[in-house]
Amino acid sequence: GGTSGKAPQLPPIPLFLADGTPNHKNVASYAVHHAQPVHVPDAYDAKGFDFSGTKSFDARSGYRTRSLFTVPLIDGENTVIGVLQLLNAQDPHTGQVVPFSAEDREIVVALATQAGLALDNKLLVEAQKELLESFIKLIASAIDSKSPYTGGHCERVPVLTEMLMQAVCASEVGPFADFKLSHDEWYELRIAAWLHDCGKVTTPVHVMDKATKLETIFDRMGAIRHRFEILERDLRIASLEARLRGETSDQSDLERGLAELRDELAFLEKANVGGEFLPPDAQERIRRIGARTFVEGGESRPLLDENELENLTISRGTLTDDERLIINGHMVETIRMLEALPFPKHLQRVPEYAGGHHEKMDGHGYPKGVYAGDMSVPARAMAIADVFEALTAADRPYKSAKRLSEAMKIMGFMKRDNHLDPALFDLFVTSGTYRRYAAQFLDPSLLDSVDEAALLAITPKPFDLPPEDLRNIRRGRLLAEYEERFPASLRGLATASHPPRKPS
């Protein structure tokens, strides 16, 4: 034990015996129960205490315990929180082991008083730290619990972020050879990683979990199916009425009409699922179908209203532009919430770390539209972790989990398009970080071969860094867009970023 770095091998001293009575046989426990110092001139000649353990230790180690002075450590509330025990006082002139003098005991008691208060302060700080971490993890857990489709995201991103940053700090060559994080900076990063999506507490569940284009609180495709049933019913009624009037009614015309309606419904159902790309001709067909009319409550209505048309003609995914802005707004809320907290000096970069994982190297990310040079390395690492976790997650309503090779291929495209930091992504590959994470969290069926050489060979597209004034104009427009949607959410968002840690 002690400063050796090795765990102590001594057995614990029980404060209470097996029958629940206080243990007065050991000096340390006696000092605790009586809250007073105990001086033993010679352990081998002491009455009333059990020194069998001490003698056994002496026999094994060759040590000879004689004098002991045991002092309880008392906190500010007069509670014993520890015991200080000194062994074998020495005569300053002869070096012989002697009992502790009255003067020595007074000095030790005075020091123990200060030690008790210092220990109390240390325990209070540790308790506050534990409370903060527990509260942060509670928030992350609540966010994951809010949606059954993102359970675990707030837990997995911190793990992957830390794995990648460990690879960064272990680098001995390349752009990160001189990059290191101190103990406080590691703690700061962990706190930021756990809080990186805290703004999602404000995101509506029906937007966050939108699995189909027409889903809000429920999938409105059911209402559209009902309208098609009305059209089919009216088509059959019109055919029968024509026959009753003696007018010619070709049964094949009815069947063609019904087949056309069923084909259009199937097309809308497929479009409602969403996907990588909905071509313009498909969007135009949706508008033509939407222009049909049906009669409900004696009133003629278009088959699809404006909102349904807007949703069904979404070209990628399931979100409209307004809904995507709401989703993106979780970063605005994250930064707003974190910048409102009085973080101590060693945690001041938490908002920047947590608020940068949707920014891009070329300034086209959100919510601040900052460029690579304004982003810290931990923030860029968290962006990679967030993307990889999202691609490989099996709990999203709008997509299935990507195979490892597919996820890395997509991230290769993001490297090319200046979405992800190219140097960090290359380290993500060469260090094997992605594989270690995948082995721990991905289903074995998703683990396939990855062409790492092809990923490393990708060269980011060149882009011109606009002058500072143009960057500020673009950033102002971006912030204005969020201000319009979230007018109370941008206090402090326009403040300057913390200076980036090298390399930039």
Side-chain angles (χ1 to χ4, degrees), residues 167-196:
V168 170
C169 293
S171 297
E172 297 181 353
V173 296
F176 305 108
D178 297 328
F179 188 92
K180 297 292 182 288
L181 290 177
S182 67
H183 175 78
D184 284 346
E185 287 170 334
W186 271 113
Y187 181 66
E188 185 177 40
L189 175 60
R190 293 187 186 105
I191 295 297
W194 277 98
L195 289 172
H196 80 282

Side-chain angles (χ1 to χ4, degrees), residues 36-95:
Q36 65 183 34
V38 179
H39 179 222
V40 177
D42 190 340
Y44 283 68
D45 190 30
K47 306 298 182 183
F49 293 113
D50 179 8
F51 282 108
S52 58
T54 300
K55 294 175 182 178
S56 175
F57 174 81
D58 287 354
R60 294 195 310 271
S61 64
Y63 190 75
R64 172 61 166 88
T65 304
R66 286 186 173 85
S67 58
L68 297 93
F69 187 49
T70 306
V71 186
L73 301 180
I74 300 176
D75 65 11
E77 297 181 352
N78 208 33
T79 301
V80 179
I81 58 175
V83 168
L84 174 66
Q85 188 174 75
L86 292 94
L87 306 179
N88 292 0
Q90 292 181 355
D91 185 296
H93 303 293
T94 66

Side-chain angles (χ1 to χ4, degrees), residues 139 143 154 191-203 326-341 343 349-358 366-368 382 386 482 486 488-493:
I139 293 174
I143 293 169
C154 290
I191 295 297
W194 277 98
L195 289 172
H196 80 282
D197 268 348
C198 66
K200 281 186 177 178
V201 297
T202 66
T203 306
I326 291 173
I327 290 290
N328 293 355
H330 83 273
M331 287 311 308
V332 178
E333 295 295 342
T334 294
I335 296 174
R336 180 186 67 82
M337 293 164 65
L338 296 182
E339 289 191 342
L341 295 176
F343 283 110
R349 298 178 68 91
V350 165
E352 191 263 329
Y353 288 172
H357 63 279
H358 285 295
Y366 66 89
K368 293 186 177 181
M382 204 178 301
D386 189 77
Y482 284 106
F486 312 105
S489 304
L490 291 167
R491 298 188 187 94
L493 192 58

Side-chain angles (χ1 to χ4, degrees), residues 188-458:
E188 185 177 40
L189 175 60
R190 293 187 186 105
I191 295 297
W194 277 98
L195 289 172
H196 80 282
D197 268 348
C198 66
K200 281 186 177 178
V201 297
T202 66
T203 306
V205 174
H206 72 275
V207 177
M208 189 161 60
D209 291 351
K210 192 180 181 188
T212 63
K213 294 180 180 180
L214 290 174
E215 184 175 355
T216 48
I217 304 301
F218 62 93
D219 190 347
R220 290 171 290 168
M221 197 67 222
I224 293 176
R225 292 190 189 99
H226 175 68
R227 296 169 200 168
F228 271 91
E229 290 176 1
I230 293 175
L231 290 177
E232 285 196 23
R233 179 203 64 191
D234 290 349
L235 195 61
R236 293 179 187 275
I237 291 175
S239 176
L240 291 173
E241 287 179 342
R243 289 184 183 184
L244 289 174
R245 291 193 300 268
E247 300 173 0
T248 303
S249 178
D250 192 343
Q251 184 67 20
S252 61
D253 290 341
L254 174 62
E255 295 301 328
R256 279 194 297 271
L258 294 175
E260 182 180 357
L261 288 175
R262 291 163 186 165
D263 179 67
E264 289 179 348
L265 175 59
F267 175 73
L268 293 183
E269 288 176 331
K270 183 178 179 181
N272 184 42
V273 174
E276 295 296 329
F277 180 65
L278 184 68
D281 58 333
Q283 297 179 42
E284 183 57 35
R285 184 183 179 190
I286 292 172
R287 294 187 182 93
R288 289 198 303 270
I289 294 173
R292 281 181 177 271
T293 59
F294 73 103
V295 177
E296 184 178 47
E299 182 180 350
S300 179
R301 304 169 183 241
L303 186 63
L304 301 175
D305 62 30
E306 290 185 6
N307 182 268
E308 291 162 345
L309 283 173
E310 179 188 10
N311 279 271
L312 284 171
T313 54
I314 295 170
S315 60
R316 295 181 187 274
T318 62
L319 299 176
T320 65
D321 291 341
D322 283 345
E323 289 168 340
R324 193 168 298 280
L325 189 61
I326 291 173
I327 290 290
N328 293 355
H330 83 273
M331 287 311 308
V332 178
E333 295 295 342
T334 294
I335 296 174
R336 180 186 67 82
M337 293 164 65
L338 296 182
E339 289 191 342
L341 295 176
F343 283 110
K345 184 178 180 180
H346 68 287
L347 295 178
Q348 286 183 353
R349 298 178 68 91
V350 165
E352 191 263 329
Y353 288 172
H357 63 279
H358 285 295
E359 301 290 355
K360 298 181 181 180
M361 300 301 99
D362 60 1
H364 285 79
Y366 66 89
K368 293 186 177 181
V370 297
Y371 288 79
D374 296 322
M375 293 176 62
S376 65
V377 172
R380 302 183 217 178
M382 204 178 301
I384 291 176
D386 189 77
V387 169
F388 187 75
E389 194 286 329
L391 289 173
T392 56
D395 49 14
R396 300 299 193 272
Y398 43 81
K399 73 167 190 67
S400 57
K402 303 289 186 185
R403 297 179 68 84
L404 191 56
S405 60
E406 187 178 2
M408 294 301 288
K409 184 177 181 180
I410 291 172
M411 293 182 73
F413 293 148
M414 298 171 80
K415 169 190 173 183
R416 179 199 64 191
D417 296 336
N418 296 297
H419 185 155
L420 302 175
D421 183 295
L424 271 176
F425 178 73
D426 288 351
L427 183 62
F428 186 60
V429 175
T430 57
S431 65
T433 299
Y434 77 97
R435 284 208 168 275
R436 289 195 298 275
Y437 173 88
Q440 184 176 351
F441 290 100
L442 269 59
D443 188 282
S445 63
L446 300 175
L447 306 181
D448 58 355
S449 177
V450 175
D451 189 348
E452 294 185 355
L455 296 173
L456 297 174
I458 294 174

Side-chain angles (χ1 to χ4, degrees), residues 105-124:
R105 295 200 298 270
E106 288 180 6
I107 293 174
V108 171
V109 169
L111 291 175
T113 301
Q114 298 302 316
L117 295 175
L119 178 59
D120 186 31
N121 289 335
K122 173 69 173 176
L123 293 175
L124 286 173

Side-chain angles (χ1 to χ4, degrees), residues 96-175:
Q96 296 297 314
V97 175
V98 295
F100 287 84
S101 67
E103 182 181 1
D104 287 343
R105 295 200 298 270
E106 288 180 6
I107 293 174
V108 171
V109 169
L111 291 175
T113 301
Q114 298 302 316
L117 295 175
L119 178 59
D120 186 31
N121 289 335
K122 173 69 173 176
L123 293 175
L124 286 173
V125 170
E126 290 296 325
Q128 290 177 343
K129 181 178 177 182
E130 183 178 352
L131 177 62
L132 173 64
E133 292 182 12
S134 298
F135 185 69
I136 287 170
K137 292 179 180 180
L138 178 68
I139 293 174
S141 176
I143 293 169
D144 282 341
S145 298
K146 180 180 179 181
S147 166
Y149 301 115
T150 58
H153 173 78
C154 290
E155 294 184 12
R156 293 189 291 262
V157 168
V159 173
L160 184 52
T161 300
E162 189 165 340
M163 290 172 67
L164 179 53
M165 286 307 299
Q166 286 172 346
V168 170
C169 293
S171 297
E172 297 181 353
V173 296

